[in-house]
Amino acid sequence: MSRTLQLALLACLTSGIVSCSRESRILRQPPPANDILNTVQISGLNPGANSIPTPPPSNMYQESAYAVSEGQTLFEQYNCVGCHAHGGGGIGPPLMDRYWIYGSEPGNIFATIMQGRPNGMPSFRNRIPEYQVWEIAAYVRSMAGLLPKGVSPQRPDEMRVKPSESSTPPQIPTGITGSPEQHQ
Amino acid sequence: MAVTEPVVANERDVADAELARRLDRTWRQPKGFWGWFSNTHHTAIGLRFMVTAFVFFLLGGILAAMIRMQLIRPENSLMGPDLYNQVFTMHGATMIFLFAVPMMFQGFGVYVVPLMCGARNIAFPRLNAFSYYIYVGGALCLWGGLLTNTGPDVGWFAYVPLSGPQYSPGHRTDIWAQMITFTEVSALGVAVCIATTILRHRAPGMTLNRMPILLWEKLVLSFMVIFAMPSVMVASSLLLLDRLVGTHFFNHSEGGDVLLYQHLFWFFGHPEVYIIFLPGAAIISTLVPAFTRRRILGHTPIVLSVVATGFIGFGVWVHHMFATGLPQLSESFFTAASLMIVIPTAVQFFFWVATMWNGRIWLRLPMLWCFGFFFVFLIGGLSGVMLASVPLDTQVHDTYFIVAHFHYVLIGGALFPMFAGIYFWFPKMVGRMADETLGKWHFWLFFIGFNMTFFTMHFLGLRGMTRRVYTYLPEMHWGPLSALATAGVVFMTAGILVFLVNILRSMRMGKIAGDNPWGDFSLEWATSSPPPSYNFVHIPMVNGRNPLWDGPIDQPLIVGLRDDIRETLVTHSLDTEPQHKDEDPGPSIWPFLTALTVSAAFIGSIFTPWAVPIGAPPVVVTLIGWLWPRGHSPAPLPGRESWQH
Amino acid sequence: MIASFIGVALALIQAKSLDPGGHNMLQPAAPQASQIEWLYWTVFWILLVVYVLMIGAFTKTAVVNRSGATGPLPIMTDEKGDRRAKWAVGTATGITVITLFVILVMSIVTGKKAAGLTSKNPVTVQVTGHQWWWEVTYPNSQADQTVTTANEIHVPIHTPIVLLTNSSDVIHSFWPPNITGKRDLIPGYSSAAWFQIDKPGIYRGQCAEFCGLQHAHMGFSIIAQSVEEFQSWEQQQLKPANEPGTPEATRGRAVFLTHSCLMCHTIRGTDAGSRLGPDLTHVASRNMIAAETLPLTAGALAGWIVDPQRIKPGVKMSPNPLAPDDLQAVVAYLQSLQ
């Protein structure tokens, strides 16, 4: 019995250490990092060496189901659906397919939203706070099925327009001028 | 079938000792690591239920202490809202699903019922063992969730849409919903075992008319569990389907209904609290005659009250929904039903008083806890009368008034009788008496602390403090009363610590208890303390409602059950005529293995639907192992005593 | 026994304590709450009598019938006592049934009275629950006569008010304890709750159904005014926002319209037209901000704008790290929006 007790204690300890990032709720946002836009690249081409000198920024929000769910809410509330619908596109390009004009990495999406893009994508710099842009970027990736199932949102409490992001099969990105894809 | 014949005293002693030796060999409980997991004897499983449930009581109590520490003053920053939401949800879920039902119904029921029936073991012992392991699986699922930041944070009742897929992202609520599945399967299993034991394994002579109140209550409870638990399983399963599969049961935009969840949940939820309270009332009905030294007055009306409570308990659930704006006429119906359910409980109270009024009270520790029950549960019950009224409920619903009410009825109605029952049956379970002085310290510390905490909450509720708030503004003037409520936690903790010391010490150093230290009348006191693995050397016969008080010295016994295989007697449900003999399956590892595979399938299905097709074959394999036919036991050796029909 | 009497005395003292502006169901300021308070006290006294009788019986048995024996006493029977006792139990049960029936009738009557208020000309208030604030509109058949505000409900006295409930996300519950009982705001359902206030004053309420991270800080207030005051308030609310009168306020408006503020808030008369957060057109006419959590002062406003997550972690409003001058300007502008 004491051996069982020891095993149980060990299980408790290890599970406490391996605390689930999927369930984290980041309620106090880290301060905005102003150099993100300097490190994001759209094109994978460099003169000289073939590799990208600096690793692209990661998005800690895409590991948290809560943050992705917030991103889903914001996507609708900030009227991204006005141009992109729920991923099917319209005035703007679709977001749920394989084609990413400006790259599918979290940093690329962040830069797209912050800077705006030619032919109609507004710049939301100073309008949407940075952490919310990261949340929206995480949600956008989930629309193409690029986030793990546990983190992607399930069906919203609204009328159904498409299958939920968590049941969307992953659309492996092929950019038109895409940056080299990192492993998901 | 079995022959009953009087046996002469001195010959009987010699024959008994030999019989006991043979029975002990046949019914021996397995030892060793795997033996522990194969044990299917009801005393072992019952003790495990009780100990495990008590561990979760302590864990839930720690959560409660955390809640009170956070609320000790306005705008306290001990816990943020996210952690607080998980803590109070886990407190409610742990106390209700992992402590109250497993202790009061499963623990006490599984241990005491077969002994009180005069049976050798519970019916369907492997299902009983499986129920224990699946309960532990559910408990580990829930607490594993809390320890990995995946603890549910939507309240123990998890109303949609807050617990739905949009507002509760991640798997926190899935852990909760699946825990429901685990614990309800466990409760259903035990309900089937207990109901069958009571209906078919009672000792001959224990007709329904002579059945003790506790057995009646466990029978009613089993049926309540069988009818109520499916409702919450449906609620949680529909929630899981909405969350994991994308159905729209509770999605009002697509034709679903948010209130449907509440109806399904409370159709279970209200009988659930009676499932928690009725065992307490039955323990009181068992202890009062023992410590008043007289047969309980109004045995039949009390039994009828228990049955009536069981029935009416299914007709009052909407009183949890009075604030939702349902039509007045339907709300009034439920007011009437909620007031009506007071009557059976009142009848029980009156008969307890009447029994004690003309008796001589032997105020030992269990009886002290009975008095605690009277004082505390009465307040809770009367505040419940207030809540039955719709206008009053619309003011106090979801405030600390309700918190006070249900803690008075749950702690008063279940915890106080639980401690009474523990002190009462402790000698039977362990063979030693608990210490009276420590027990009295336990009682008074806990009683004072409990009232300090929860009586204060009545005022907090009347003054508008809502439930489930992680903090409050200083302007609300709830600070001093909240601090007083928190202070009570110190006393309650001290009381529980004294209890733990008492139990642990008395297990080794308590005064040796004989078979019947309290001089009580029911059948469990007719065997040694602790009972042997075969419970009774001879299956007893019963002559009246109080067997050990009514039975003569030369009480006839049942002979004729074989002692080389695990043979049990099955009797008719009404008049307990012996009908046939059944063979207890004996120790088996398959319930444990089945619980493992089922747990894996349940927990896996939270994370991926593949867990269902992948998890099902191991379940099937373990079920096949469980149900594999055992063949017939060998015929008795010639020369053994044979029985006539 | 003594403890319970002390407790009861405490109950009486505490409940009727003279807490000014008490958020307290036992300080009714409206007919609905008064009727419920009457019912409460009536039932309370009935139940107190029951409690005293029962506790008396238990105490009697604990004291008088107690034996000091050390071991189990012999079993006793008392046929005559039992017969008497059965009669007593029967009588007590009968009295219980009658008492419960009386309580039932009183409850239904009170319920009918409290809910029986109807009128042909009520003031209609629509309350929509959001996580974690209250959207308040006064619907009107003409769109430009519809008042939209947040967290503060103005009502005229001596007028029936009908509250239409709605929710945009999860279940909330509208509860002003001094006025009336609570009504849940359930998404997909709309119910009508009637009340009337006869005494002018400010009455606080709180959300009473767990709705997520900031359920604890979701308050509202009902301000009951004379009919004239209410109408002038209504007229004021219908006007578009004041033009900024000082250079600082002008700068504040510019900051408001060029930062994230306009993504969520409406100020009618400017370009800010988003409905995600509370309507700020007349924010300075309200007493408090952040759903009755903070007073409307410059300091509180500044702190709230810069970091709402510090005060209400989890709230949907983002932190806005503005430069100090910009922050001052925005605060000055908002304070000018009477």
Side-chain angles (χ1 to χ4, degrees):
Chain A
M1 267 311 288
S2 70
R3 194 171 67 162
T4 322
L5 197 59
Q6 285 167 22
L7 280 171
L9 278 170
L10 190 62
C12 284
L13 282 169
T14 47
S15 63
I17 294 165
V18 183
S19 179
C20 213
S21 63
R22 179 191 61 235
E23 301 294 338
S24 62
R25 275 129 168 92
I26 308 158
L27 299 183
R28 300 301 310 279
Q29 312 304 338
N34 284 320
D35 62 343
I36 295 283
L37 294 179
N38 291 333
T39 56
V40 167
Q41 293 188 218
I42 297 176
S43 166
L45 298 176
N46 296 292
N50 281 328
S51 61
I52 300 231
T54 40
S58 64
N59 184 1
M60 66 169 169
Y61 292 93
Q62 70 178 17
E63 291 169 19
S64 157
Y66 177 76
V68 178
S69 164
E70 289 288 290
Q72 180 184 39
T73 311
L74 294 169
F75 190 86
E76 181 143 345
Q77 288 183 334
Y78 288 148
N79 202 27
C80 314
V81 294
C83 293
H84 292 286
H86 286 86
I91 305 172
L95 301 177
M96 63 201 295
D97 61 357
R98 296 180 285 138
Y99 301 104
W100 298 79
I101 306 173
Y102 299 105
S104 70
E105 282 298 298
N108 295 127
I109 305 174
F110 178 86
T112 300
I113 299 174
M114 289 297 257
Q115 295 169 338
R117 291 286 181 251
N119 295 327
M121 174 69 186
S123 157
F124 288 94
R125 187 200 315 265
N126 284 335
R127 295 290 189 272
I128 301 182
E130 274 204 19
Y131 76 96
Q132 288 187 347
V133 177
W134 284 115
E135 287 175 344
I136 296 171
Y139 173 65
V140 166
R141 279 176 63 84
S142 81
M143 275 203 278
L146 298 177
L147 291 187
K149 280 204 177 334
V151 172
S152 304
Q154 291 283 349
R155 67 138 179 91
D157 278 354
E158 285 149 14
M159 283 171 58
R160 179 192 174 101
V161 290
K162 60 162 188 169
S164 66
E165 287 76 13
S166 67
S167 55
T168 305
Q171 310 296 316
I172 306 301
T174 65
I176 295 178
T177 57
S179 63
E181 292 308 319
Q182 304 295 312
H183 292 293
Q184 258 75 272
Chain B
M1 301 194 49
V3 75
T4 64
E5 51 188 0
V7 184
V8 182
N10 48 8
E11 268 186 26
R12 181 174 64 184
D13 290 344
V14 169
D16 276 359
E18 172 63 17
L19 182 57
R21 196 184 60 77
R22 291 204 294 266
L23 283 170
D24 188 59
R25 197 178 57 198
T26 308
W27 284 85
R28 185 172 308 155
Q29 297 184 22
K31 298 225 181 326
F33 183 76
W34 289 111
W36 194 88
F37 289 100
S38 322
N39 198 338
T40 56
H41 195 72
H42 75 99
T43 47
I45 301 290
L47 279 174
R48 288 178 205 182
F49 264 117
M50 288 196 259
V51 169
T52 313
F54 198 78
V55 166
F56 284 105
F57 169 68
L58 294 176
L59 289 174
I62 292 174
L63 295 174
M66 286 167 70
I67 294 174
R68 285 313 324 162
M69 286 309 297
Q70 165 65 17
L71 292 175
I72 195 171
R73 59 162 194 217
E75 298 294 351
N76 199 8
S77 52
L78 183 67
M79 288 193 272
D82 188 40
L83 180 59
Y84 183 85
N85 291 349
Q86 287 187 67
V87 167
F88 83 71
T89 304
M90 289 292 298
H91 168 73
T94 301
M95 287 303 199
I96 299 233
F97 295 114
L98 303 186
F99 162 63
V101 173
M103 172 68 87
M104 301 306 287
F105 172 54
Q106 295 173 299
F108 275 115
V110 164
Y111 192 95
V112 173
V113 162
L115 284 169
M116 222 183 240
C117 286
R120 288 249 156 88
N121 197 1
I122 199 168
F124 309 127
R126 290 173 298 182
L127 178 61
N128 188 28
F130 169 78
S131 300
Y132 171 71
Y133 297 120
I134 207 84
Y135 152 64
V136 172
L140 291 176
C141 169
L142 185 68
W143 274 83
L146 180 68
L147 294 172
T148 54
N149 198 24
T150 323
D153 58 350
V154 287
W156 80 275
F157 49 93
Y159 277 172
V160 291
L162 183 64
S163 61
Q166 180 165 1
Y167 297 102
S168 187
H171 286 309
R172 289 177 171 183
T173 305
D174 302 316
I175 297 265
W176 174 88
Q178 208 59 294
M179 176 277 296
I180 300 274
T181 312
F182 276 105
T183 48
E184 306 323 329
V185 166
S186 170
L188 282 170
V190 170
V192 165
C193 294
I194 288 187
T196 312
T197 310
I198 295 176
L199 287 175
R200 302 306 301 275
H201 286 243
R202 295 199 310 281
M206 189 187 282
T207 58
L208 283 183
N209 195 28
R210 294 177 183 165
M211 209 161 79
I213 294 177
L214 194 119
L215 290 185
W216 272 108
E217 169 263 323
K218 290 283 183 275
L219 185 63
V220 167
L221 223 65
S222 302
F223 281 101
M224 285 179 80
V225 164
I226 291 171
F227 282 101
M229 298 300 188
S231 184
V232 73
M233 282 183 80
V234 168
S236 65
S237 302
L238 294 186
L239 180 63
L240 278 172
L241 286 174
D242 264 22
R243 289 177 56 85
L244 297 175
V245 173
T247 52
H248 298 282
F249 290 107
F250 305 122
N251 182 2
H252 61 97
S253 313
E254 286 276 357
D257 192 337
V258 165
L259 272 187
L260 171 66
Y261 180 86
Q262 295 192 27
H263 281 289
L264 284 171
F265 185 83
W266 288 116
F267 185 78
F268 148 81
H270 195 83
E272 164 82 349
V273 303
Y274 283 101
I275 290 169
I276 298 173
F277 160 62
L278 284 179
I283 291 179
I284 304 298
S285 295
T286 309
L287 265 53
V288 161
F291 290 95
T292 327
R293 316 306 299 156
R294 33 189 328 233
R295 294 169 177 73
I296 194 155
L297 195 62
H299 177 105
T300 308
I302 292 180
V303 167
L304 290 173
S305 299
V306 169
V307 174
T309 309
F311 273 103
I312 306 177
F314 279 91
V316 299
W317 81 91
V318 174
H319 69 220
H320 299 270
M321 298 164 60
F322 278 157
T324 54
L326 293 169
Q328 253 189 15
L329 184 59
S330 20
E331 290 186 340
S332 304
F333 170 81
F334 285 95
T335 301
S338 306
L339 290 171
M340 197 162 74
I341 203 170
V342 174
I343 301 171
T345 312
V347 165
Q348 291 184 67
F349 260 80
F350 296 144
F351 276 116
W352 291 328
V353 171
T355 309
M356 295 193 297
W357 195 272
N358 293 324
R360 302 282 291 141
I361 295 184
W362 184 33
L363 196 63
R364 293 294 297 273
L365 202 50
M367 194 61 189
L368 186 62
W369 284 95
C370 290
F371 273 102
F373 160 85
F374 292 137
F375 280 73
V376 171
F377 180 79
L378 194 53
I379 298 180
L382 293 176
S383 63
V385 170
M386 282 189 193
L387 302 176
S389 146
V390 174
L392 276 179
D393 190 65
T394 57
Q395 281 283 31
V396 295
H397 173 65
D398 252 316
T399 66
Y400 268 81
F401 192 89
I402 302 276
V403 177
H405 158 71
F406 68 70
H407 280 92
Y408 266 85
V409 286
L410 286 176
I411 296 189
L415 202 71
F416 275 70
M418 176 195 90
F419 283 125
I422 290 179
Y423 284 119
F424 185 65
W425 279 295
F426 184 79
K428 177 55 57 182
M429 294 179 195
V430 167
R432 294 176 182 270
M433 307 292 291
D435 185 68
E436 283 279 316
T437 315
L438 281 179
K440 285 189 179 130
W441 274 95
H442 169 208
F443 173 79
W444 286 109
L445 282 170
F446 192 81
F447 184 80
I448 291 170
F450 168 79
N451 281 299
M452 198 186 291
T453 299
F454 292 102
F455 200 71
T456 318
M457 288 187 187
H458 287 110
F459 309 132
L460 279 171
L462 293 172
R463 289 173 138 205
M465 184 169 184
T466 45
R467 289 174 72 176
R468 306 173 183 131
V469 290
Y470 79 100
T471 186
Y472 48 93
L473 297 173
E475 301 86 72
M476 306 309 291
H477 301 294
W478 294 327
L481 287 176
S482 292
L484 180 61
T486 305
V489 170
V490 175
F491 289 91
M492 282 196 276
T493 313
I496 300 292
L497 286 173
V498 169
F499 169 74
L500 286 172
V501 166
N502 191 358
I503 293 294
L504 292 171
R505 252 191 65 184
S506 304
M507 276 172 65
R508 288 164 207 271
M509 297 172 9
K511 198 173 70 154
I512 300 279
D515 289 3
N516 195 355
W518 310 114
D520 193 24
F521 56 78
S522 48
L523 282 180
E524 75 266 26
W525 305 104
T527 183
S528 64
S529 305
S533 318
Y534 46 89
N535 283 355
F536 299 93
V537 176
H538 297 284
I539 303 296
M541 261 197 74
V542 165
N543 267 346
R545 282 180 178 166
N546 309 87
L548 298 187
W549 291 356
D550 297 335
I553 297 289
D554 57 347
Q555 172 81 354
L557 304 166
I558 309 296
V559 298
L561 289 181
R562 288 174 59 176
D563 51 38
D564 56 337
I565 59 168
R566 295 168 162 244
E567 208 161 59
T568 60
L569 188 66
V570 175
T571 58
H572 189 273
S573 0
L574 298 180
D575 58 20
T576 57
E577 274 286 315
Q579 287 198 316
H580 62 90
K581 300 192 288 186
D582 197 11
E583 186 175 346
D584 183 289
S588 167
I589 193 68
W590 292 107
F592 171 68
L593 295 177
T594 311
L596 277 182
T597 53
V598 170
S599 302
F602 279 169
I603 296 180
S605 63
I606 296 174
F607 297 98
T608 165
W610 282 108
V612 177
I614 294 179
V619 173
V620 171
V621 164
T622 47
L623 278 177
I624 290 175
W626 178 336
L627 296 169
W628 196 266
R630 299 168 151 256
H632 298 290
S633 288
L637 298 171
R640 290 236 169 227
E641 189 177 305
S642 66
W643 32 269
Q644 303 150 13
H645 38 93
Chain C
M1 178 99 167
I2 303 169
S4 31
F5 276 125
I6 293 178
V8 168
L10 272 175
L12 296 172
I13 297 166
Q14 287 288 346
K16 285 212 175 233
S17 79
L18 302 168
D19 227 353
H23 176 89
N24 188 335
M25 70 168 257
L26 296 176
Q27 289 178 0
Q32 282 76 27
S34 300
Q35 284 146 8
I36 299 175
E37 195 224 4
W38 173 87
L39 181 67
Y40 172 80
W41 285 117
T42 314
V43 174
F44 172 80
W45 286 113
I46 296 175
L47 296 177
L48 184 66
V49 167
V50 170
Y51 181 70
V52 166
L53 289 173
M54 291 299 297
I55 294 301
F58 289 126
T59 313
K60 178 261 178 193
T61 57
V63 168
V64 168
N65 292 59
R66 187 170 167 178
S67 88
T70 49
L73 297 151
I75 315 298
M76 40 186 297
T77 53
D78 181 358
E79 293 269 347
K80 211 163 66 142
D82 283 356
R83 267 199 301 273
R84 267 204 315 261
K86 284 191 181 155
W87 272 107
V89 170
T91 317
T93 309
I95 297 176
T96 307
V97 173
I98 295 173
T99 311
L100 291 173
F101 192 74
V102 164
I103 294 177
L104 174 68
V105 169
M106 284 197 304
S107 163
I108 295 185
V109 165
T110 309
K112 274 194 172 333
K113 270 201 297 198
L117 181 70
T118 52
S119 160
K120 291 216 184 336
N121 287 323
V123 168
T124 310
V125 181
Q126 163 132 345
V127 169
T128 304
H130 295 262
Q131 280 180 321
W132 293 280
W133 58 282
W134 308 87
E135 180 187 339
V136 178
T137 56
Y138 292 72
N140 193 303
S141 52
Q142 292 176 276
D144 66 344
Q145 297 294 312
T146 302
V147 173
T148 306
T149 179
N151 300 326
E152 218 176 71
I153 303 171
H154 288 242
V155 295
I157 54 176
H158 300 315
T159 316
I161 317 288
V162 62
L163 190 88
L164 300 176
T165 68
N166 211 337
S167 170
S168 73
D169 39 36
V170 298
I171 302 181
H172 302 274
S173 191
F174 183 86
W175 184 41
N178 304 88
I179 306 301
T180 182
K182 52 185 65 75
R183 181 60 64 94
D184 285 355
L185 311 183
I186 303 177
Y189 281 79
S190 180
S191 72
W194 292 78
F195 63 91
Q196 178 172 321
I197 307 182
D198 294 326
K199 213 165 59 169
I202 304 179
Y203 305 103
R204 196 181 181 281
Q206 181 120 348
C207 176
E209 183 62 61
F210 180 61
C211 49
L213 287 165
Q214 283 301 324
H215 165 66
H217 286 130
M218 187 172 164
F220 63 92
S221 61
I222 301 182
I223 301 182
Q225 309 168 299
S226 68
V227 179
E228 299 79 34
E229 281 172 339
F230 171 73
Q231 281 170 348
S232 78
W233 173 84
E234 233 184 342
Q235 288 312 310
Q236 175 63 22
Q237 293 289 313
L238 287 172
K239 295 195 191 127
N242 292 339
E243 283 295 311
T246 64
E248 205 184 14
T250 312
R251 179 176 174 182
R253 183 172 67 176
V255 170
F256 188 96
L257 295 175
T258 52
H259 285 74
S260 40
C261 319
L262 89 168
M263 297 296 288
C264 298
H265 290 290
T266 295
I267 298 185
R268 286 197 310 278
T270 68
D271 285 337
S274 173
R275 308 281 291 273
L276 304 178
D279 188 310
L280 296 182
T281 312
H282 297 284
V283 60
S285 70
R286 306 204 272 264
N287 293 329
M288 301 189 84
I289 58 167
E292 300 296 306
T293 311
L294 295 170
L296 190 84
T297 60
L301 264 175
W304 176 250
I305 292 170
V306 166
D307 197 355
Q309 301 285 335
R310 186 141 187 354
I311 300 161
K312 291 172 81 167
V315 77
K316 304 294 183 188
M317 176 162 160
S318 64
N320 298 289
L322 294 172
D325 291 343
D326 288 342
L327 180 62
Q328 294 256 35
V330 171
V331 168
Y333 175 58
L334 290 175
Q335 284 188 301
S336 76
L337 295 176
Q338 291 290 337

